[in-house]
Amino acid sequence: MDLTLRIVGYVRSPLSDRETAPRFETENAPPAEIVLDPAYRTAAGSLEAGQEILLFTWLHQADRSCQEVHPRCDTSRPLTGVFSTRSPDRPNPIGLHQVRLTAIDGDVLAVAYLEAIDGTPVIDIKPLADRGGKG
């Protein structure tokens, strides 16, 4: 059984730390770029600017021992199990981000809007499901 996780690229973003990063892409998250490993250039060959995609990231600064959080870091809210939140703190810190591709330039995918911090590893990219039967 192959249980190897491959990093396909990295986030390039003005966000430098998780404490000041927005909690959702809709909370003033900035445009960002995904810099693909050149080995995966062919895998991105059918992506197009304007397309909605899902990015899966490895939130490498997460607390992997965490099982409960205050939603959106608001301590006035009761602790909630991490599987009911989008917190990066969780046993396996896989981030799921819906973004729109705004441009593609070689190995660089420009996206709007992404709450992941600079240097976050990208582990997969998937187009949004087409409910019309394609893809």
Side-chain angles (χ1 to χ4, degrees):
M1 180 183 314
D2 181 12
L3 298 177
T4 302
L5 183 70
R6 291 183 175 83
I7 304 304
V8 300
Y10 290 91
V11 172
R12 188 162 48 200
S13 168
L15 299 173
S16 60
D17 62 81
R18 63 180 277 190
E19 287 73 29
T20 59
R23 299 296 175 230
F24 289 95
E25 66 276 358
T26 57
E27 292 180 345
N28 300 319
E33 294 177 331
I34 306 306
V35 181
L36 292 175
D37 179 323
Y40 297 103
R41 181 179 295 142
T42 303
S46 299
L47 296 176
E48 299 176 359
Q51 184 175 21
E52 294 282 324
I53 60 172
L54 296 173
L55 292 177
F56 295 84
T57 58
W58 186 259
L59 301 172
H60 62 296
Q61 294 188 26
D63 177 354
R64 296 190 69 187
S65 66
C66 187
Q67 292 194 32
E68 290 182 308
V69 295
H70 294 283
R72 300 176 102 158
C73 296
D74 180 352
T75 56
S76 70
R77 298 174 79 175
L79 284 170
T80 302
V82 295
F83 294 152
S84 297
T85 73
R86 290 187 47 146
S87 170
D89 297 325
R90 54 200 330 108
N92 286 307
I94 297 172
L96 174 62
H97 318 270
Q98 182 176 336
V99 298
R100 183 174 41 84
L101 280 171
T102 58
I104 302 171
D105 184 12
D107 297 331
V108 179
L109 310 176
V111 298
Y113 297 91
L114 183 60
E115 73 275 19
I117 64 171
D118 190 59
T120 298
V122 176
I123 57 176
D124 207 352
I125 301 168
K126 300 221 183 274
L128 224 56
D130 179 356
R131 301 292 181 193
K134 297 187 296 183

